[in-house]
Amino acid sequence: MRILLMLLLSVFVFSCAKQKPDYSTILNSDELLKYQGQNLDAQSKYDFYKQLFLVSTFENLKNPSHELAGNLQKFPDSILLQLSEILISEYVDKEGNIDSVPNATTQLSRRQIASQLDSVFKTQDRISHAALQNVFVGGDMGGTSITSIDGELITMNRDFGTGASSVYTYALIRDGSLRFLGEVHDQLSANDSALLTTEIKKYYPNFDYFSSRSGVDIVKTEGDYVIGLSAYSTDDPGCCPSISVRYKTANFKTITGGSVRVANKNDETRFLE
């Protein structure tokens, strides 16, 4: 009986030792770095570095030297953490084969990301946020950042140094909670998105798609938000969308009835009724 108990205890201890550490609850880089250097499998290493990237982004937003610190410091940690998750979301994956590339913006697989960061830690005890971003994002000059905070509206831009790579996205903070708005028009229901396309094509049959790199104007009015978008006709050059679109929405999912307006972008003072 005693031998059996010892064997069961050994199995329990061994199984506990093999369990992957849960990094997801650690939001302090100093505490997280205590796990660096452990003999982990490749997937666990990637999970560790992914959490380190998130925590580093979170701490960067909390840094008093951040260019938007005056506005960011007004937000609770819960909001800053959600913003951090949005900023890195395109460059990390929760699931996937360890040898697959986690996103379209980097050329490194998860295994390679972990291996590169292992190499960095062989020569230093810490790693900068810029260095983590370089490995995960895949370039020294690129990534997603917060470009402005205007009251309850946060504007973010994914940019890799060329106009075509620039994509503006938005988040809204109301009553202490954050809502990610994406590119805004993509939050519309399927029915209202189809309605918007139909209205545009009444005046511009060659309407092609909305411009991601032009950004979106979001103006709060009484009970509504006025959304201003730029859009391409099929023969527009990439630099110059020719169509302006406006509509009102109260919830970003539905369009306020009769509010769609369309115009030539070079003559926005005369929106078509």
Side-chain angles (χ1 to χ4, degrees):
M1 185 68 178
R2 183 178 179 182
I3 294 175
L4 178 59
L5 288 173
M6 291 179 65
L7 285 172
L8 290 173
L9 180 61
S10 298
V11 170
F12 175 77
V13 171
F14 178 77
S15 64
C16 289
K18 294 292 287 183
Q19 285 182 346
K20 294 179 180 180
D22 181 11
Y23 308 118
S24 62
T25 60
I26 303 175
L27 299 177
N28 178 283
S29 59
D30 289 331
E31 184 67 25
L32 190 59
L33 284 169
K34 292 177 182 179
Y35 289 94
Q36 203 285 323
Q38 286 193 337
N39 186 22
L40 303 174
D41 61 62
Q43 182 63 56
S44 293
K45 282 184 179 181
Y46 175 77
D47 291 342
F48 166 77
Y49 287 125
K50 180 175 68 175
Q51 182 69 10
L52 185 60
F53 186 29
L54 172 63
V55 171
S56 176
T57 303
F58 173 61
E59 291 177 339
N60 184 53
L61 294 183
K62 289 169 63 71
N63 193 321
S65 65
H66 193 287
E67 60 182 359
L68 296 174
N71 287 309
L72 289 169
Q73 289 179 350
K74 298 175 183 178
F75 301 139
D77 284 358
S78 58
I79 294 292
L80 295 181
L81 184 59
Q82 289 179 73
L83 282 171
S84 300
E85 291 171 340
I86 292 169
L87 292 175
I88 73 169
S89 61
E90 289 193 81
Y91 316 110
V92 299
D93 274 350
K94 294 181 179 179
E95 300 176 356
N97 186 285
I98 190 65
D99 289 309
S100 64
V101 175
N103 56 75
T105 59
T106 181
Q107 300 302 310
L108 299 178
S109 70
R110 295 169 180 80
R111 188 187 300 276
Q112 290 170 323
I113 289 171
S115 179
Q116 280 205 14
L117 292 171
D118 274 348
S119 297
V120 172
F121 276 106
K122 287 180 181 178
T123 60
Q124 59 192 62
D125 294 330
R126 297 190 67 86
I127 186 168
S128 68
H129 174 69
L132 282 164
Q133 175 143 324
N134 183 47
V135 174
F136 273 95
V137 175
D140 293 314
M141 299 297 292
T144 305
S145 61
I146 299 172
T147 60
S148 67
I149 301 174
D150 183 12
E152 62 183 14
L153 184 68
I154 297 176
T155 302
M156 292 163 279
N157 184 27
R158 186 194 75 197
D159 186 14
F160 284 86
T162 64
S165 72
S166 185
V167 176
Y168 283 94
T169 54
Y170 302 85
L172 190 70
I173 296 179
R174 296 189 67 182
D175 302 322
S177 62
L178 181 145
R179 178 179 178 182
F180 182 54
L181 298 178
E183 295 181 46
V184 183
H185 66 85
D186 56 3
Q187 304 300 298
L188 290 172
S189 68
N191 286 340
D192 282 67
S193 181
L195 168 67
L196 184 59
T197 296
T198 298
E199 289 297 308
I200 296 170
K201 286 192 171 184
K202 283 183 182 179
Y203 308 104
Y204 294 94
N206 291 330
F207 162 68
D208 196 5
Y209 61 96
F210 292 108
S211 173
S212 299
R213 65 184 187 177
S214 299
V216 178
D217 292 324
I218 305 173
V219 179
K220 186 176 181 181
T221 62
E222 186 175 349
D224 282 305
Y225 292 89
V226 178
I227 309 301
L229 302 162
S230 296
Y232 290 97
S233 183
T234 52
D235 54 355
D236 287 340
C239 66
C240 309
S242 63
I243 305 171
S244 282
V245 180
R246 291 181 187 171
Y247 65 87
K248 291 182 179 180
T249 180
N251 56 16
F252 297 96
K253 292 182 179 181
T254 57
I255 295 173
T256 303
S259 69
V260 178
R261 297 290 183 271
V262 185
N264 184 300
K265 193 167 176 61
N266 296 321
D267 188 15
E268 291 191 39
T269 58
R270 292 188 298 176
F271 273 84
L272 300 172
E273 295 296 331

